[in-house]
Amino acid sequence: MPGFAADHPVYLDGSVPMDGLFNALLEVASEVWVLRDRFAVLEQLLRERGSVTRDDIDLFQPGPELRERLAAERRAFLERVLESVAAATPPGQERAR
Amino acid sequence: MPAPQQGPAVPDGMNPAVVLDQRGRAELEFLAGMRAALTPLRARVRARIESSPQIAAWGGDDGADIESLREAVAAELDGTPEQDVIGAALRWNRQVLTPRAVDAFHARRDALEPLATAPDPDAIADRGDETVPRYWRYEFHGTRGGWDGHEHMGFVHHELVYRYLLVPAFGDIFAQRAAVADRAPREDYESICDLGCGTGQYTLKLAERYPAARITGVDLSMASLRYAQRRAADRGMDWRLVRAPAEDTGLPDGGHDLVTSFILLHEIPPHAIEKVFAEAFRLLRPGGDLVFSDVAPYRLRGPYQAWLDDWDAENGHEPWWRPAARIDLAAVAEAAGFTEVRQEALGPGSYPWVTLARRPQEGGT
């Protein structure tokens, strides 16, 4: 219906830089990572101790094996995020370099 | 609350009792992981730059004009996305780094504050706000709020940012400080002044290398000096610490036989660099030594590395890096009255780049 925004539900196009959306994506990715890390710690503690408290998780310091696994997973996760952005950028655009 | 498990071995010079909670640790590890995950994108950028014959010829007989290199690389990368994604990712990384580290500190403040507090902050001499230069108001490296943006910024930066971000990204950067301390030409220094000492990373290497010397550290950041005092005290050391600009320390004439600095000069404008050399000359006894280590000159870097240095400086809050990478420090030293001026590269890519000089004896050399 004319005069209603629902006919053209576009609010951000042109007014929000792509960088803003990219920053938001990285905020979400960081939060996902914190949760993945917390799950890995939780799983390890449950395997070792059977039950855990919140402080157990918060103050746990991963040993060498878990540290290496987390570093590899973190890197793979971030490479997927960053490469997907690079792959989607249209060619021939003027850039701020 | 249970005592935290002892964390992994910490880098040289850091406190192993500093343990973050899971969120703080994982957030900072995420930021370090992002830098590591940029490697494939960086490799493609590098391959593209190095495939250009025009860029490969940079720095030859035509000289090392960084503006023309930047233009040539921009043209070469036009239409490719990698450097844009790297830029956006690093921008976000720098933007959130200090706030994340401060949040991690606050999450365990009760446990960490006792490790961060200076034993005798009133003993730090203060030259006063009227001597603070304009360049100090800039947020160095994007450190949110500046080096004094938090009362424990020295602790936060040294124990958290260096440990979680900078050491993983750049390796054992404290060994570089030790190597520069070792290059000073004499063994028997009695009084050493470290200009731009920050939290005492280089100062500690000087103190370890020259245990008989009285150590003075000068910096503009009171938060950094407070943590430097704490780090010295934790090792049974006692340094004289002064909050002042390196070019106007207020210290007496001729009171030192070594005046030195590590990565101070690229943080200040060229006119201040000249004043720092003049101040070092004033602080030294006749026959005393100057050892200043800083960023490598662009002319000694390959085209890719020179381009990357300059791009990083522009995009990483380093307004004075380019002038520092082009200034002739040997000429500045000679103009300040120094003799026996020489320069040495101590590592790959001509970094650390060290300028050594001597204040001549009265009436001769």
Side-chain angles (χ1 to χ4, degrees):
Chain A
M1 187 184 297
F4 282 83
D7 291 342
H8 184 63
V10 176
Y11 293 88
L12 301 179
D13 193 22
S15 64
V16 173
M18 273 292 282
D19 295 64
L21 295 178
F22 182 70
N23 292 349
L25 170 74
L26 293 177
E27 288 290 348
V28 174
S30 174
E31 202 60 29
V32 168
W33 177 256
V34 171
L35 294 173
R36 281 183 61 175
D37 181 286
R38 198 168 180 90
F39 260 107
V41 169
L42 181 62
E43 286 166 357
Q44 170 140 338
L45 285 172
L46 282 174
R47 192 165 55 243
E48 288 173 3
R49 305 180 191 177
S51 69
V52 292
T53 66
R54 187 175 183 165
D55 282 345
D56 287 339
I57 300 172
D58 269 331
L59 297 179
F60 179 76
Q61 303 299 310
E65 196 179 321
L66 181 57
R67 268 209 317 280
E68 277 174 32
R69 199 188 97 207
L70 286 171
E73 288 181 10
R74 191 164 53 230
R75 181 166 175 156
F77 170 52
L78 273 159
E79 281 188 19
R80 283 170 70 165
V81 171
L82 296 166
E83 290 281 5
S84 68
V85 178
T89 306
Q93 216 167 286
E94 195 61 35
R95 295 169 208 296
R97 64 170 73 93
Chain B
M1 183 181 284
Q5 283 191 348
Q6 189 68 26
V10 296
D12 175 34
M14 293 188 180
N15 187 344
V18 173
V19 173
L20 299 182
D21 73 354
Q22 184 267 334
R23 169 171 288 278
R25 174 182 60 74
E27 285 190 339
L28 293 180
E29 287 175 349
F30 179 83
L31 296 179
M34 173 182 291
R35 283 184 168 270
L38 291 171
T39 303
L41 298 177
R42 286 191 187 277
R44 297 210 290 277
V45 168
R46 181 171 190 156
R48 197 170 177 104
I49 290 173
E50 292 185 339
S51 70
S52 158
Q54 183 203 347
I55 295 170
W58 179 83
D61 295 341
D62 294 338
D65 168 12
I66 194 68
E67 289 90 349
S68 69
L69 176 65
R70 288 293 299 272
E71 282 172 22
V73 171
E76 188 62 38
L77 296 181
D78 192 36
T80 62
E82 283 84 359
Q83 191 60 25
D84 295 334
V85 177
I86 292 168
L90 290 178
R91 164 59 47 196
W92 180 80
N93 204 302
R94 289 183 172 116
Q95 194 174 307
V96 302
L97 172 56
T98 314
R100 291 276 198 281
V102 168
D103 285 351
F105 174 80
H106 281 279
R108 298 211 69 229
R109 184 163 191 150
D110 289 349
L112 296 181
E113 194 158 38
L115 305 175
T117 304
D120 188 10
D122 292 341
I124 301 170
D126 191 347
R127 186 105 169 92
D129 287 341
E130 59 277 11
T131 66
V132 174
R134 191 173 57 168
Y135 65 75
W136 177 246
R137 301 198 188 107
Y138 199 79
E139 290 188 354
F140 290 74
H141 317 135
T143 303
R144 187 68 67 84
W147 292 136
D148 284 334
H150 185 281
E151 65 173 307
H152 292 302
M153 189 65 92
F155 175 91
V156 166
H157 199 71
H158 178 76
E159 299 292 347
L160 307 189
V161 174
Y162 263 84
R163 174 168 158 191
Y164 283 92
L165 271 290
L166 301 182
V167 172
F170 300 110
D172 186 0
I173 40 192
F174 305 108
Q176 294 168 343
R177 287 153 175 77
V180 173
D182 194 49
R183 287 305 298 149
R186 292 180 188 155
E187 295 291 326
D188 56 350
Y189 294 112
E190 294 171 0
S191 183
I192 297 174
C193 183
D194 178 11
L195 298 173
C197 67
T199 55
Q201 294 175 340
Y202 176 53
T203 328
L204 180 58
K205 296 301 177 193
L206 292 164
E208 288 171 349
R209 179 67 182 78
Y210 306 102
R214 183 185 190 201
I215 302 287
T216 300
V218 176
D219 204 277
L220 276 163
S221 164
M222 191 55 97
S224 296
L225 289 167
R226 283 196 297 263
Y227 196 51
Q229 188 192 57
R230 174 58 189 260
R231 296 184 69 229
D234 284 348
R235 291 159 178 79
M237 298 176 179
D238 182 17
W239 302 337
R240 174 171 61 169
L241 297 169
V242 181
R243 176 184 175 245
E247 63 271 35
D248 182 15
T249 63
L251 293 166
D253 292 357
H256 300 84
D257 45 15
L258 174 63
V259 174
T260 185
S261 75
F262 189 89
I263 56 171
L264 162 72
L265 302 178
H266 74 282
E267 307 288 14
I268 62 180
H271 68 86
I273 292 179
E274 291 171 7
K275 287 181 188 163
V276 169
F277 274 81
E279 179 73 352
F281 191 90
R282 186 184 72 77
L283 293 176
L284 282 168
R285 296 170 192 150
D289 293 315
L290 170 142
V291 177
F292 282 174
S293 180
D294 222 278
V295 300
Y298 287 155
R299 64 188 161 78
L300 299 178
R301 306 284 253 179
Y304 172 74
Q305 197 59 51
W307 168 79
L308 184 58
D309 289 353
D310 199 64
W311 187 93
D312 263 339
E314 183 188 353
N315 290 276
H317 292 246
E318 297 271 18
W320 305 115
W321 185 299
R322 182 188 280 193
R326 298 206 286 194
I327 196 169
D328 181 352
L329 291 179
V332 173
E334 283 166 2
F338 286 97
T339 56
E340 301 177 53
V341 181
R342 60 204 184 282
Q343 295 183 292
E344 286 181 33
L346 295 191
S350 300
Y351 181 80
W353 176 246
V354 187
T355 300
L356 303 102
R358 181 159 287 168
R359 175 172 173 162
Q361 296 287 356
E362 308 275 329
T365 59

